[in-house]
Amino acid sequence: MNKNANQNANQKTNSKKKIVLAYSGGLDTSVLVRILTVDYGYDVIACHADVGEARDKEKIQARAKQAGAVACEIVDAKDEFVREYCFPALRANALYEGIYPLSAALSRPLIAKHLVAAAKKHGATAVAHGATGKGNDQVRFDLAVKGLAPELAIVAPQREKNITRDEAIEYAEKHGIAIESTVKKPFSIDENLWGRSIEGGVLEDPSVEPPDEAFAWTKKPEECSNAPIYLKIGFENGLPVSVDDEKLSPVDLVQRVGAIAGNAGVGRIDLMENRVVGIKSRENYECPAAVALIAAHKDLERFTTLGAAQKVKDMLDVKFADVVYEGLWFSPLRAAIDAFNVEHDKTVTGEVTLKLLKGGLRVVGRASPFGVYNHAMSTYDRTDKFDHKAAEGFIALAGLQLAEFTRVNRLNEAISQTREK
Ligand code: ARG
């Protein structure tokens, strides 16, 4: 929209307050368009940031208008999502509780950023989202908005009203909002380029194995080929740039790795997860690209960086994942850890070979001009150049205090004597 058109739009509707709603195009957020208009008295601007869920843009636009939105902003955010959110997470080997690559958690701050941008563009005073009061997403949306534009009000009707699916359908019928299907979906799905989460239905029983229908991106491991698949990932400064020697853009690379790993059954995750709001929940994911890329990246770090720095980074990696999970993407803490990672990963350039077989994944080779590995130091054959005498001196100094302590106390002897009695 140009400046004049923008002003006209503002004038036409300046009697009513404006709000920007995170809009998926589904039933729930369509109902929210109307609720925010009728119950809350806002002019609603629907905002959809596409992070790779492959929905029909025109349909989303039409549904938003049909539900009563005064405007609809649709942003293709796939490239931004991978470069600015997934890749920093990859550099941090980010796995919440050691397992979950944070796919849903990474998309929320990006969506919030676009809500804030749309609010500025349209002169809105508030933003809204459809997250419930039981989940992590409300925390992530709200904290991201606070981190970017604390002056904006945040409205979360689903958290306030706890609208059930049946109520949403009833409301839609009453208000003439188009519904695509009233068939109850077996699972609640959230998906983007970094992964897919599957919740609800039979999965709410932690003892039940996830049924085949839960998965869409990964082949059932039992049904995968018996021949292993080798995948060579090239990295530059800690970020992936090629697959099997072919240079690819970030989005294409993630999609390529995801397709190959998913076809080998790699990336299924079943986690008893601790939510920010205290609930322990059973979560299922399929994140073939993230799982493969993190394994490769972590290995190349081990090969090309200092052991002492790696130990610090291991701790920061855990912290980074917690910070993202807890919704503090737009915080100086996240930015500071990321700055450390950028510096740390300056030598993480090279290639890692993964072997994928029936749901399993192993790193089986790595090569880099920056490999700190020195064959002459580690070999046991005749080319050995390691100074064995230096080890003797090292141990003499490392054991100095321990030997002295024992001489004075004979503590271990005393302990074993007490035990014998
Ligand atoms: N438990 C995951 C997380 O907190 C998945 C959330 C998925 N969100 C959703 N609205 N279904 O990151």
Side-chain angles (χ1 to χ4, degrees):
M1 220 191 262
N2 67 32
K3 233 183 168 176
N4 284 341
N6 226 335
Q7 268 167 4
N8 287 341
N10 284 343
Q11 273 161 15
K12 246 203 273 171
T13 54
N14 65 2
S15 52
K16 264 171 110 184
K17 300 174 292 177
K18 290 181 184 171
I19 194 164
V20 180
L21 166 69
Y23 185 67
S24 73
L27 169 72
D28 296 337
T29 48
S30 297
V31 163
L32 288 189
V33 170
R34 193 62 60 91
I35 287 180
L36 286 165
T37 308
V38 177
D39 298 5
Y40 292 78
Y42 281 108
D43 270 343
V44 180
I45 295 121
C47 176
H48 180 84
D50 176 11
V51 282
E53 58 276 73
R55 297 223 178 92
D56 183 335
K57 307 269 154 59
E58 314 232 304
K59 249 194 208 158
I60 292 177
Q61 185 98 25
R63 291 197 86 190
K65 293 280 170 64
Q66 200 269 336
V70 297
C72 181
E73 297 282 347
I74 297 186
V75 198
D76 181 346
K78 292 195 285 291
D79 186 66
E80 179 189 5
F81 179 54
V82 174
R83 278 178 205 272
E84 293 176 28
Y85 296 80
C86 304
F87 277 10
L90 171 59
R91 209 160 30 215
N93 302 306
L95 294 171
Y96 179 63
E97 300 189 325
I99 295 181
Y100 162 44
L102 294 162
S103 44
L106 287 165
S107 74
R108 292 340 186 222
L110 173 143
I111 295 168
K113 189 177 163 200
H114 287 283
L115 295 181
V116 170
K120 292 229 164 84
K121 174 175 166 189
H122 289 268
T125 54
V127 295
H129 58 73
T132 72
K134 295 182 75 173
N136 298 315
D137 290 331
Q138 54 168 342
V139 179
R140 296 167 186 153
F141 279 129
D142 288 20
L143 293 184
V145 172
K146 285 179 198 296
L148 291 169
E151 64 281 2
L152 290 174
I154 303 165
V155 182
Q158 182 58 258
R159 179 166 61 201
E160 285 175 28
K161 298 176 192 283
N162 194 17
I163 308 153
T164 64
R165 188 172 168 85
D166 288 342
E167 284 164 357
I169 293 172
E170 203 179 298
Y171 188 96
E173 278 165 354
K174 204 169 116 197
H175 288 80
I177 296 168
I179 313 170
E180 286 200 318
S181 148
T182 53
V183 182
K184 197 174 166 353
K185 300 201 179 83
F187 306 110
S188 154
I189 307 289
D190 183 82
E191 62 184 36
N192 60 52
L193 286 159
W194 208 232
R196 180 171 179 273
S197 79
I198 317 116
E199 296 171 302
V202 291
L203 297 173
E204 287 182 356
D205 180 346
S207 70
V208 171
E209 179 175 358
D212 293 348
E213 317 83 82
F215 302 104
W217 292 6
T218 51
K219 215 180 203 170
K220 192 175 185 171
E222 300 81 313
E223 286 165 11
C224 290
S225 155
N226 286 325
I229 296 163
Y230 291 90
L231 197 55
K232 192 166 78 181
I233 318 275
F235 286 86
E236 273 172 23
N237 308 115
L239 295 180
V241 293
S242 67
V243 177
D244 294 332
D245 295 320
E246 187 184 345
K247 291 248 176 221
L248 291 171
S249 74
V251 169
D252 290 346
L253 186 140
V254 168
Q255 283 175 329
R256 176 81 59 89
V257 173
I260 297 171
N263 197 42
V266 167
R268 292 190 177 187
I269 293 164
D270 187 332
L271 170 64
M272 290 310 303
E273 183 171 307
N274 294 294
R275 286 192 188 166
V276 182
V277 291
I279 295 169
K280 199 178 275 290
S281 66
R282 194 269 186 101
E283 302 286 333
N284 280 271
Y285 304 97
E286 40 187 354
C287 306
V291 165
L293 289 170
I294 291 171
H297 173 262
K298 177 92 192 151
D299 184 84
L300 198 56
E301 280 189 332
R302 287 196 174 107
F303 186 41
T304 60
T305 70
L306 285 189
Q310 259 175 266
K311 289 196 167 65
V312 175
K313 187 165 184 295
D314 283 346
M315 292 188 294
L316 291 176
D317 282 355
V318 172
K319 192 67 198 166
F320 188 98
D322 283 348
V323 164
V324 173
Y325 188 84
E326 290 160 9
L328 289 171
W329 183 270
F330 294 113
S331 70
L333 175 56
R334 204 272 312 161
I337 299 176
D338 196 37
F340 175 95
N341 292 345
V342 169
E343 179 64 29
H344 177 272
D345 271 21
K346 278 184 174 163
T347 57
V348 183
T349 294
E351 284 166 349
V352 178
T353 305
L354 300 173
K355 184 174 182 176
L356 317 172
L357 181 63
K358 287 185 166 290
L361 167 149
R362 272 190 304 138
V363 175
V364 293
R366 72 288 290 158
S368 167
F370 302 105
V372 183
Y373 174 85
N374 182 335
H375 183 264
M377 286 296 121
S378 54
T379 185
Y380 285 94
D381 71 21
R382 276 185 296 144
T383 58
D384 181 7
K385 291 277 182 311
F386 182 80
D387 181 354
H388 292 244
K389 280 268 179 301
E392 222 177 282
F394 164 73
I395 296 164
L397 301 187
L400 202 64
Q401 284 200 17
L402 176 64
E404 203 51 40
F405 186 89
T406 301
R407 246 174 245 124
V408 173
N409 294 293
R410 296 282 162 193
L411 202 60
N412 292 329
E413 232 171 76
I415 291 168
S416 53
Q417 274 168 10
T418 343
R419 280 218 197 97
E420 275 160 25
K421 273 180 202 160

